[in-house]
């Protein structure tokens, strides 16, 4: 989704919402887990859900999509579960879906915990 780049005050001064979100991901998920394709599969969600290559710096995520289809993310996870052991999903989002079906139903069908971080 397209995140507003309006600055806001943080402990480190003025930073954009998107920079703050990326820093929070890096603070919570260590680099050895974030970049290990055996432990973590990364996706970006906008108009569509697209795999994000492991090892790519997280701050290179483009934040320009015009809409957010969260249900596509859960459908992508459903497909991924066919070939890999998915134990949980961490969703970094403001939670607003602007296109697609209500994401609650495909998320419930997965049968794994979904941790949403706003």
């Amino acid at each position: 989704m397209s995140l507003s780049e309006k600055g806001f005050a943080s402990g480190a001064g003025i930073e954009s919402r998107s920079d703050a979100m990326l820093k929070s991901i890096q603070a919570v998920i260590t680099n050895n887990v974030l970049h290990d394709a055996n432990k973590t599969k990364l996706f970006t969600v906008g108009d569509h859900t697209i795999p994000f290559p492991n090892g790519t710096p997280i701050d290179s995520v483009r934040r320009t999509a015009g809409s957010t289809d969260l249900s596509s993310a859960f459908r992508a996870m459903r497909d991924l579960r066919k070939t890999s052991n998915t134990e949980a999903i961490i969703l970094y989002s403001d939670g607003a879906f602007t296109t697609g079906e209500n994401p609650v139903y495909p998320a419930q069908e997965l049968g794994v915990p979904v941790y949403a971080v706003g």
Side-chain angles (χ1 to χ4, degrees), residues 2-8 14-20 63:
S2 178
L3 288 173
S4 167
E5 292 302 322
K6 287 184 178 180
F8 67 93
I14 303 294
E15 61 184 11
S16 71
R17 286 182 57 206
S18 56
D19 288 341
R63 301 165 298 271

Side-chain angles (χ1 to χ4, degrees), residues 25-36 40 54-55 57-58:
I25 293 170
Q26 293 169 318
V28 173
I29 305 172
T30 61
N31 276 333
N32 64 328
V33 172
L34 193 62
H35 298 298
D36 185 341
T40 308
N54 284 75
I58 195 77

Side-chain angles (χ1 to χ4, degrees), residues 15-66:
E15 61 184 11
S16 71
R17 286 182 57 206
S18 56
D19 288 341
M21 181 202 68
L22 293 173
K23 283 181 184 176
S24 73
I25 293 170
Q26 293 169 318
V28 173
I29 305 172
T30 61
N31 276 333
N32 64 328
V33 172
L34 193 62
H35 298 298
D36 185 341
N38 294 317
K39 294 181 181 179
T40 308
K41 305 286 189 246
L42 305 173
F43 295 83
T44 59
V45 180
D47 304 317
H48 305 285
T49 298
I50 302 167
F52 189 76
N54 284 75
T56 304
I58 195 77
D59 57 2
S60 69
V61 171
R62 291 183 29 223
R63 301 165 298 271
T64 58

